[in-house]
Amino acid sequence: MQQFEETVTVPATPLAAWRFTGRLRTYQADVLERVPVVAGDPLHIVAPPGSGKTLLGLLLAARRGARAVALAPTATIRSQWARAAEGLEGTSGAVSEDPHELGDLTVLTYQMLSVIEGGNPLTDLAVAEWARELEAGGRTATAAGAWIEALRAANPTAFRDGVTRRSRTLRRQFAQQDADLLARVLHPNALALVDRLVEHGVQTIILDECHHLLDHWALVVAYLASRIRDAGRTPLLIGLTATLPSVEDKRSYDNYAGLLGEVDYEVPTPAVVKEGNLAPYRDHVWFVEPIEDELVFLRDHERRLAGLIRELLAGDDGVAHLTALLQPSSDGGDEPPEQRLARAFASDFGLAESAARMLLDLTPDHPLRGLLPPDLRTPPDTEQSVRLLARYALDRVLPDPSRADQWQRIKRTVADFGYTLTDRGVRRGRDPIDTLLASSAAKDAAVGDILRLELGQATGHLVRAVVIADFAVHGNKRGAARRPAGALRVFDAVAGDATLAALRPVLVTARHLRIAARDAAVLVPALSAALDADLTPTPVDGSPGVLDLDTAGRGSAAVVAAVSALLARGEVRVVVGTRGLLGEGWDCPAANTLIDLTAVATSSSTQQLRGRTLRLDPAWPRKVAHNWVVTAVIPARIALASAPDLRRMMRKHDRIWGLLREDSTQVVRGLPIALTGEQAGRLRALEGKDRRQTAAGLNESTAAALPPREDSYRSWRIGEPYADREGAAAVVSRASTRAFRTGWTLQLILTAIIVIVGAVLVQVARPLATLWQVHPAAGLAGTALALGLAGWLVRPLVRQVGLAARQAFTTTAAYRRVVRAVADALHDAGHVPAFGEGDIRVAPEGNEDLTARFELEVLGGSPAERRIVATALAELFGPVRSPRFLLRIERGDPARVRHQPLLQLGLWAARLLTRRDRFLPVPALLGRRRADAEAFARRWQRTVGPCALLEIDAPEDLAQLTRARRDAAGSSAPPAVREHWS
């Protein structure tokens, strides 16, 4: 493992004399080499917990050579910054944590620089905004003010809620405003501190865990930076975080991006693991099906939804409504059904897809069936069904006064699925099915299943597990008469499981410290000693076998520290807690098993949770972390097709790097780190209501193939060199007939050659016989002449033999040609650099003849450019939706062969003897301009085989689009873009 030495020697300005004479990690040295420090240009570094971001921030600030302030989210992290800075040479007396006595580097918490001493500085502005809203609703200014004051007096809670909502919006807006406006919302103490920092000459602002900069902290940082600029200096912002914030809240994310810009450098977690600075790890998924009384709730929903569908959509009026959605009327007179169908999909693809699925489910023999692609011949999912019902209610029920009762019933039913139906349309709300699945009681039992599985491994005696729920108590009680979900309920299940007695579980939340009664003799003295308090256990009502320990006056931080110490010593081996307490900021190196029961799926929250188990453990030098996500799925026997918890599990893995489940020599990102391709297929089948698939069956395959931790440690190859290169591959599945085929089939070409040669020989057989009778030499010359004529006639076909043979027997070669054509076309269009033949990689998974999937990628260029090519390949082999251009393959363009009559004859025979035309959608980047699409088609002609480019730009072309959706030539399963690291 290569090490680097950093020595900073520059003129003696603040921080410039600071030096680090130790050895930098490879990625730290890479950051310092690649990322320039330029005043005014923010630096944005993403690196996992434990990777040395603090040292990086200090060295980047030292290169700037100006006074700095470092902002941290907690007092603990603030102290870590101060200690790290004091460990550098040349920092004697230059570091301060006192906001009144500033140093060359002053380390503060965000709270010190933000709103302090209580109160809400945005209240006045929020009340003014509220008054403006009331005035817009028709009140006078006086009446609006009076109404707000009356609400403040009569219902303080409602008043506070209203102010809080508007304050939050104002905070998000102000981060982009000028300094004078920002100053209006800051507390006087915060303003005074900003004044001192500016007067002290601070120019560099280091932002630790900067993913928090979404709301009022972003506001304060923006204000401080603007004040530095007003003082005639150029601020430098250095943002450090383990993960980027979620982009789901666009306004908050825009505030964040406005401060720090794009990421300058991201340190992948695998790099830190490979260098031995984080523990290697594996990700796993455990599936559960809801318990019986939760299934009663789901069956009731299924029954009412199915009843409404039968009543409203299965009848003549409902079928006519669905047909009308797929066959919209037009002013064009007799428009063919294919064209109308394509127009429906072009107008609203999602609605048309839902209507098609529902129509074929209710009337399998409908005349439109032949025009629809096979992938639409599966029933609609629950969301599609609900939206179709809502559309039917708006189009057919609401306009009819006699159906008012039916309208109300539909409203109540869709509300039970989390939708609000009004005369303006349907709006998504909180989904009770999602809530039920997220907090299913079956997940409590899953904790025990996972722990028993872990204990059964050779490293079972080393297991130190943390089970994290969202809250101590969750308010949801849907589908269950028992206690609401949350950490308390989970702990009761663990404490009540006699098979887990050796683990001595402990529950810790902001208000609770609980143990199993059977462990009182060991844990009460241990916790009392750790907290320096005489803890008295008290039985918990409704929780037999559980004792509560009163820790009043000790504070949650002290309690967590005590429990962490016991976990490190092995006196406690399972801790159950909440995300707020045991998530970001909790540091216990002994934790090596995470069981994630939370309902959050943002990148930041997921990364932070996993960071809890990745710290190196001095007591276990070859530690390997196991991170489990528990996911609830509706069993196949319940027709309700809803999978919100499954989607959440997939989102949790979107940004996670790990070892590929099927090949531990590869590091990839996404769900393949947790599920094999076979498991993913079974999961899709379960979601599609294949009754042969169950959650238990998936878990059995997981348990059977659970890799020993020692094997995982070896698979990470810690200490070996690495390229630190990210790539992206399109993963395509073999089509039902052949992985990929274009142009003529080999069989047809050989048949045509034999027929043509045979026809020539038959025609010249009698003259040849005469020549042979006249003289052998004449016969030989005549035979040679006849064979030459036959060869000349079949020459256009012979040129196709090699290509057809490769595509029939060497599928990998065919895919290489496709990658070549796409990459070259993207280069021609200016999107990527030129790629050499050695840059193309096509990897079949399995035996060539039995291959189910292929990985297609290019190896050159930047990670972003490699993703562009992979995305284009996935689009090419994906379903035909609404592309501007189509590629028709397997049939030559007649214009190309008008001077080759035999080839034209062969094409005519091909249309009679072989399957119909097949289509591929031209990737979006190549379909934006006609010239790019035409260049792509030419590349395809030269590299892959015959094709024709079709543009969908007129009403008459829509029928072609309908046929293309039905006869798509792409992957048999939706292609995916798989990111990998090496």
Side-chain angles (χ1 to χ4, degrees), residues 907-962:
L907 289 173
W908 175 80
R911 293 185 182 278
L912 291 178
L913 300 176
T914 64
R915 61 196 182 106
R916 56 195 173 207
D917 287 335
R918 310 299 278 178
F919 299 87
L920 292 170
V922 173
L925 275 181
L926 296 175
R928 290 178 181 175
R929 299 188 306 163
R930 181 181 291 105
D932 293 341
E934 290 172 346
F936 173 51
R938 289 193 296 270
R939 286 282 186 184
W940 188 281
Q941 294 269 23
R942 291 195 298 270
T943 308
V944 183
C947 72
L949 183 70
L950 307 176
E951 183 174 8
I952 309 300
D953 64 345
E956 57 269 21
D957 297 327
L958 295 176
Q960 186 75 278
L961 185 59
T962 298

Side-chain angles (χ1 to χ4, degrees), residues 161-505:
D161 290 345
V163 167
T164 299
R165 286 195 304 273
R166 291 164 179 84
S167 297
R168 188 179 300 119
T169 300
L170 288 168
R171 281 176 173 140
R172 291 170 175 172
Q173 293 171 343
F174 285 152
Q176 302 297 327
Q177 305 300 324
D178 60 68
D180 291 339
L181 185 55
L182 293 172
R184 294 174 56 192
V185 302
L186 291 181
H187 191 281
N189 289 2
L191 292 172
L193 179 52
V194 169
D195 289 340
R196 290 197 298 274
L197 290 169
V198 174
E199 291 170 4
H200 190 61
V202 166
Q203 298 184 53
T204 300
I205 307 172
I206 306 172
L207 307 165
D208 193 20
E209 304 297 350
C210 59
H211 59 273
H212 290 291
L213 296 173
L214 297 177
D215 217 343
H216 61 283
W217 287 351
L219 163 70
V220 177
V221 171
Y223 175 67
L224 175 58
S226 69
R227 287 293 310 281
I228 293 173
R229 282 190 291 269
D230 291 344
R233 296 186 291 271
T234 303
L236 170 67
L237 273 65
I238 301 174
L240 307 168
T241 184
T243 181
L244 295 174
S246 172
V247 298
E248 293 175 4
D249 187 339
K250 187 177 185 305
R251 180 179 292 171
S252 292
Y253 187 83
D254 287 347
N255 289 346
Y256 174 87
L259 284 170
L260 296 174
E262 298 298 323
V263 174
D264 293 291
Y265 193 102
E266 181 171 1
V267 178
T269 300
V272 190
V273 173
K274 292 276 287 183
E275 293 209 27
N277 297 301
L278 284 180
Y281 57 93
R282 284 276 195 175
D283 273 78
H284 310 286
V285 180
W286 195 260
F287 296 98
V288 298
E289 295 177 354
I291 63 173
E292 187 55 40
D293 54 353
E294 294 168 345
L295 290 177
V296 170
F297 174 83
L298 296 175
R299 288 192 186 99
D300 179 61
H301 273 56
E302 173 197 351
R303 176 183 56 79
R304 287 187 288 128
L305 180 61
L308 264 182
I309 289 173
R310 285 194 304 270
E311 176 187 342
L312 301 176
L313 298 181
D316 292 342
D317 186 57
V319 171
H321 170 71
L322 294 172
T323 305
L325 292 176
L326 295 170
Q327 295 283 282
S329 60
S330 69
D331 299 329
D334 293 333
E335 192 177 20
E338 286 185 336
Q339 192 165 315
R340 290 188 178 191
L341 187 64
R343 192 153 49 81
F345 274 92
S347 175
D348 189 334
F349 192 94
L351 177 65
E353 181 184 45
S354 302
R357 292 183 186 276
M358 181 65 77
L359 184 66
L360 295 185
D361 188 46
L362 297 176
T363 56
D365 297 325
H366 194 279
L368 289 178
R369 178 183 179 88
L371 301 179
L372 293 168
D375 64 322
L376 294 185
R377 295 170 191 173
T378 55
D381 62 26
T382 300
E383 181 174 352
Q384 290 174 322
S385 299
V386 170
R387 288 191 177 277
L388 283 173
L389 278 173
R391 179 63 177 259
Y392 177 82
L394 287 167
D395 290 355
R396 302 290 179 113
V397 178
L398 184 59
D400 186 350
S402 66
R403 303 177 75 176
D405 290 344
Q406 200 172 59
W407 168 261
Q408 293 300 327
R409 190 152 59 88
I410 296 173
K411 284 186 66 172
R412 289 193 297 271
T413 299
V414 300
D416 285 340
F417 289 89
Y419 293 88
T420 300
L421 178 61
T422 70
D423 56 5
R424 296 188 302 275
V426 64
R427 179 170 52 85
R428 189 71 155 118
R430 188 175 184 182
D431 183 0
I433 295 177
D434 184 8
T435 304
L436 179 142
L437 294 175
S439 57
S440 171
K443 292 187 175 182
D444 302 351
V447 173
D449 293 336
I450 294 169
L451 290 174
R452 280 187 290 274
L453 182 61
E454 291 285 6
L455 292 174
Q457 285 203 310
T459 52
H461 63 290
L462 296 171
V463 167
R464 306 290 185 269
V466 55
V467 184
I468 300 184
D470 285 302
F471 308 104
V473 176
H474 192 290
N476 173 56
K477 295 183 180 179
R478 293 181 185 273
R482 60 185 64 198
R483 295 169 49 201
L488 301 187
R489 195 183 73 182
V490 174
F491 182 74
D492 284 358
V494 175
D497 190 334
T499 65
L500 305 176
L503 300 180
R504 289 194 288 272

Side-chain angles (χ1 to χ4, degrees), residues 586-646:
W586 181 54
D587 187 5
C588 181
N592 54 47
T593 304
L594 168 69
I595 301 179
D596 179 6
L597 304 180
T598 68
V600 294
T602 62
S603 174
S604 57
S605 60
T606 302
Q607 296 274 18
Q608 289 294 341
L609 283 181
R610 275 154 180 72
R612 301 316 99 206
T613 58
L614 301 188
R615 302 283 184 177
L616 298 178
D617 183 5
W620 187 10
R622 295 175 71 86
K623 167 183 170 178
V624 174
H626 277 187
N627 299 315
W628 293 85
V629 173
V630 182
T631 302
V633 294
I634 297 177
R637 65 183 181 275
I638 305 293
L640 205 61
S642 183
D645 212 36
L646 183 59

